[in-house]
């Protein structure tokens, strides 16, 4: 059994603690067109390093729990691709969701599976497959602490990222009453704000809502029974039938369906260079730069060009005298936009003929 690292501000853990890692790896990441496709989505792409993002995620988590206690939740169409990326994962641990039903349904099913295998006190640590992490050791330590707090406090724990800037692209968490040391109750969750509100929130000590969670699986299931009618009836009626559960469950996010309704939610701050890599422009924050402040991956060359993001997949890209562009080249298709407009690719995709958009 895996014991999480001790922290001097908390009592030592029982050696019998059982830790599971759960990775959310669904979605297609359409904001990474033309590289991302329904069969090769964002989490399966080498966007930050030369390895697919899911591989980077599993590598970061591997020291804290073995493959036998790691679940990957993904789309049914991606199950085989996920298994091919990491042959150490048991086939039964890659959960193929028949349809998108929100993070609450996915994590409820994961908690039910873990409880059946290891009991209600097994600790479940939840992350996403498509993040960049700057300080891996600090990341692991924070997750270990979150697992420890979840077990000793019997609370639902979320990790809030200490903001490095006001960013309207993220949700926020307002920390409330101090419970112990830097662990606090959640006063409220805030949806993505406008820029001015984001600046005010950062000044007032709000944290970014990262989507990192830790809890004993029995505690999560108790809170779902108490607070989440969108999920609980389907969970109770489905037995071990995944198809039946996803056919009946109502879609809702875990934040809305459980965390905003439960009085048992705590927040732990995290500082480890987290980025959710939501757009091509975000790669400028998380990739290594050349001497001209360009973030480039693949065969490429820049001359008198600064602040660009280049992803060259088998096609040579040469930049001359341009600044703050995003250039993506793959399989005879080149997309060029600005870093400022990279977050709005949906407008572009809506104008493209299907044979070009879906190639």
């Amino acid at each position: 059994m895996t014991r999480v690292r001790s922290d001097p501000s908390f009592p030592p853990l029982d050696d019998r603690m059982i830790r599971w890692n759960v990775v959310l790896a669904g979605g297609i990441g359409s904001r990474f067109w033309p590289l991302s496709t329904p069969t090769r989505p964002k989490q399966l792409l080498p966007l930050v390093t030369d390895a697919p993002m899911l591989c980077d995620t599993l590598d970061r988590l591997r020291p804290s729990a073995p493959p036998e206690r790691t679940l990957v939740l993904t789309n049914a169409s991606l199950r085989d691709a996920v298994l091919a990326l990491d042959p150490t994962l048991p086939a039964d641990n890659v959960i193929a969701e028949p349809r998108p039903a929100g993070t609450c349904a996915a994590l409820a099913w994961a908690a039910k599976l873990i409880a059946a295998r290891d009991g209600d006190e097994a600790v479940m640590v939840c992350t996403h497959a498509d993040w960049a992490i700057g300080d891996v050791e600090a990341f692991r330590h924070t997750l270990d602490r979150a697992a420890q707090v979840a077990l000793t406090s019997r609370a639902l724990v979320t990790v809030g990222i200490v903001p490095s800037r006001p960013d309207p692209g993220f949700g926020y968490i307002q920390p409330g009453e101090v419970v112990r040391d830097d662990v606090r109750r959640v006063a409220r969750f805030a949806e993505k704000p406008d820029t001015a509100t984001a600046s005010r929130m950062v000044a007032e000590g709000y944290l970014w809502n990262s989507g990192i969670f830790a809890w004993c699986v029995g505690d999560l299931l108790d809170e779902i029974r108490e607070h989440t009618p969108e999920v609980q009836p389907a969970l109770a009626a489905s037995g071990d039938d995944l198809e039946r559960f996803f056919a009946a469950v109502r879609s809702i996010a875990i934040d809305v369906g459980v965390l905003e309704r439960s009085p048992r939610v705590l927040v732990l701050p995290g500082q480890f260079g987290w980025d959710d890599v939501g757009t091509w422009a975000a790669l400028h924050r998380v990739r290594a730069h050349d001497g001209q402040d360009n973030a480039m991956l693949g065969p490429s060359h820049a001359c008198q060009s600064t602040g660009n993001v280049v992803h060259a997949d088998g096609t040579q890209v040469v930049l001359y005298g341009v600044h703050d562009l995003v250039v993506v080249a793959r399989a005879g298709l080149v997309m060029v936009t600005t870093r400022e407009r990279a977050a709005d690719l949906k407008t572009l995709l809506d104008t493209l003929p299907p044979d070009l958009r879906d190639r």
Side-chain angles (χ1 to χ4, degrees):
M1 296 181 181
T2 298
R3 180 180 179 179
V4 301
R5 190 171 357 188
S6 179
D7 188 285
S9 63
F10 287 89
L13 290 180
D14 190 318
D15 284 336
R16 294 169 296 178
M17 176 184 178
I18 300 174
R19 160 85 173 264
W20 281 74
N21 290 325
V22 175
V23 180
L24 291 160
I28 64 169
S30 59
R31 285 180 291 181
F32 283 88
W33 187 89
L35 201 62
S36 60
T37 67
T39 58
R40 193 171 179 245
K42 171 184 170 185
Q43 62 272 24
L44 303 186
L45 298 175
L47 293 177
V48 179
T49 70
D50 58 2
M53 296 187 78
L54 176 58
C55 291
D56 287 342
T57 299
L58 294 172
D59 286 346
R60 284 193 293 265
L61 294 172
R62 205 175 307 278
S64 61
E68 293 75 20
R69 291 205 301 275
T70 300
L71 294 182
V72 176
L73 312 178
T74 191
N75 308 337
S77 61
L78 300 180
R79 183 175 183 274
D80 291 344
V82 169
L83 285 169
L85 282 181
D86 191 340
T88 70
L89 281 172
D92 288 347
N93 285 22
V94 178
I95 310 304
E97 301 172 23
R99 68 175 181 91
T103 53
C104 193
L107 294 177
W109 189 259
K112 184 176 179 177
L113 288 180
I114 293 169
R117 296 185 193 182
D118 276 328
D120 285 349
E121 293 195 356
V123 176
M124 168 178 163
V125 177
C126 314
T127 63
H128 289 248
D130 52 2
W131 294 336
I133 302 295
D135 187 337
V136 172
E137 283 304 309
F139 171 76
R140 289 173 180 155
H141 180 61
T142 303
L143 265 58
D144 288 351
R145 282 203 66 209
Q148 184 174 356
V149 173
L151 183 64
T152 57
S153 302
R154 302 312 298 259
L156 309 185
V157 178
T158 183
V159 174
I161 304 300
V162 178
S164 58
R165 63 190 181 277
D167 195 317
F170 299 145
Y172 285 74
I173 298 171
Q174 182 183 21
E177 170 195 355
V178 174
V179 174
R180 180 172 186 169
D181 302 300
D182 56 352
V183 180
R184 300 173 70 170
R185 298 196 185 280
V186 170
R188 75 181 184 100
F189 291 88
E191 296 297 322
K192 296 177 181 178
D194 57 32
T195 301
T197 303
S199 296
R200 176 181 59 79
M201 287 177 168
V202 170
E204 293 176 357
Y206 282 65
L207 303 169
W208 286 338
N209 185 359
S210 68
I212 299 172
F213 310 117
W215 42 58
C216 294
V217 291
D219 294 338
L220 175 64
L221 294 171
D222 285 345
E223 294 305 283
I224 288 173
R225 279 190 285 269
E226 179 72 19
H227 300 291
T228 319
E230 296 88 351
V231 173
Q232 172 56 23
L235 197 65
S238 60
D240 60 358
D241 190 331
L242 177 73
E243 297 281 346
R244 183 179 180 186
F245 170 67
F246 275 91
V249 73
R250 291 155 57 191
S251 180
I252 192 168
I254 190 76
D255 309 62
V256 178
V258 179
L259 302 184
E260 292 181 6
R261 300 171 183 176
S262 170
R264 299 171 63 183
V265 185
L266 304 180
V267 61
L268 175 71
Q271 287 184 285
F272 38 78
W274 172 91
D275 200 298
D276 78 340
V277 195
T279 70
W280 282 115
L283 296 182
H284 195 263
R285 295 194 297 265
V286 301
R287 281 185 182 171
H289 292 179
D290 67 7
Q292 301 176 82
D293 195 37
N294 299 301
M296 307 172 78
L297 191 68
S300 51
H301 177 80
C303 177
Q304 299 179 19
S305 300
T306 60
N308 299 290
V309 174
V310 175
H311 191 101
D313 187 2
T315 299
Q316 182 80 41
V317 172
V318 176
L319 304 182
Y320 177 49
V322 295
H323 312 281
D324 300 323
L325 295 182
V326 171
V327 181
V328 184
R330 66 171 291 266
L333 176 63
V334 178
M335 188 274 293
V336 180
T337 185
T338 63
R339 284 169 54 190
E340 183 180 3
R341 297 294 298 273
D344 188 31
L345 286 191
K346 185 178 186 302
T347 299
L348 168 66
L349 295 178
D350 288 345
T351 69
L352 296 178
D355 61 331
L356 178 56
R357 182 189 64 225
D358 301 331
R359 60 179 297 172

